[in-house]
Amino acid sequence: MATKRTHVYRLYPDATMAHVLDQWCDYRRYCYNKALELWNATYSEYRMLVSPEILAEFKKPKEERQFTEEQNLFISRYYPTAALIQKKLTASKQSWESQISSRILQQACADLGKAFKKFAKDKALKVKRGAGRPVFQSKKAKRQGFKLNQGVVLAKEGNHGKLTLPVPAPYKGEWHSIRFSEIPKNAEFGTISFYREHGHYYMAVPYKYETPPYIHKLRVRRQGSMSMSAISMMQRGNTIFCTRETMAPSSWQESMRTSSTSSGFWQES
């Protein structure tokens, strides 16, 4: 089973790409707020026009709901979803928006849809301090960002990494790669989050591993002398925490058991 681990890198854009990142952060906030405004208006219209029969069906478990063809048509037109809101926003895009990646708008609508699903679920389960109703985002917030799920290229360049963002088709200005703090991992990754905080730029990359990159910790009690050159250790008092990335769990755990059983100090946490 694949596992995910997110790595955060600091970005070092030049003046041109810093302006692009700032513009895309602002555009994501603009899309999210426009989507939320449209969502609220669509839902208000839906509540005014919806029939009691449809409301009664929605109260049933999802697998037991049965709508007529006419009811399904009404729901697809008026019931707010991420796909419907994205369709409406795309249809009403202005000319200046073509200079920015359309994936930012798609991800903003998807995030809003997830936020409303979380809000509805917590409300139905009556979760205390659950997710509140989505609110408009402020340009004064310390963290501003956007997400991209396609078109991003991460490569190695010396002792650092090189990021290439997707270029919007109509864009005619300069476009450069962006250096980031570390060499990227050799693994697949999902939707990347980019954000600006305290004047610095970062990206959070969720890597997908078939095997976990970090094995659970072993706790070793210090009893006598021992040599563990194959394992990196971190000591806290009389306890040594051992971790190993490159060896498979079965091989290095077995080696630990074999080498330490006679001394009686091996203990798994």
Side-chain angles (χ1 to χ4, degrees), residues 167-230:
V167 185
Y171 186 81
K172 301 299 181 181
E174 294 184 17
W175 202 266
H176 308 145
S177 60
I178 300 174
R179 182 172 67 89
F180 59 92
S181 54
E182 300 174 26
I183 297 174
K185 307 295 182 182
N186 185 22
E188 295 183 4
F189 54 85
T191 301
I192 300 179
S193 299
F194 300 87
Y195 59 94
R196 180 187 68 234
E197 190 171 21
H198 301 299
H200 301 300
Y201 302 90
Y202 304 88
M203 70 173 177
V205 184
Y207 288 104
K208 302 176 183 178
Y209 296 97
E210 292 299 328
T211 303
Y214 302 103
I215 310 303
H216 67 279
K217 295 178 181 178
L218 292 180
R219 188 173 59 193
V220 181
R221 297 294 182 186
R222 179 180 293 278
Q223 292 187 7
S225 61
M226 61 176 292
S227 175
M228 293 190 217
S229 58

Side-chain angles (χ1 to χ4, degrees), residues 26-27 42 66 70 88 124 131 145 157 159 190 203 234 249 266:
D26 293 341
Y27 182 62
T42 303
Q66 293 183 351
E70 184 179 354
K88 290 185 176 182
E157 187 177 64
N159 295 327
M203 70 173 177
M234 178 177 65
W266 188 87

Side-chain angles (χ1 to χ4, degrees), residues 145-169:
F146 61 92
K147 294 181 180 179
L148 293 175
N149 62 346
Q150 294 179 21
V152 179
V153 178
L154 304 181
K156 176 183 176 182
E157 187 177 64
N159 295 327
H160 304 280
K162 181 176 70 173
L163 162 70
T164 304
L165 295 173
V167 185

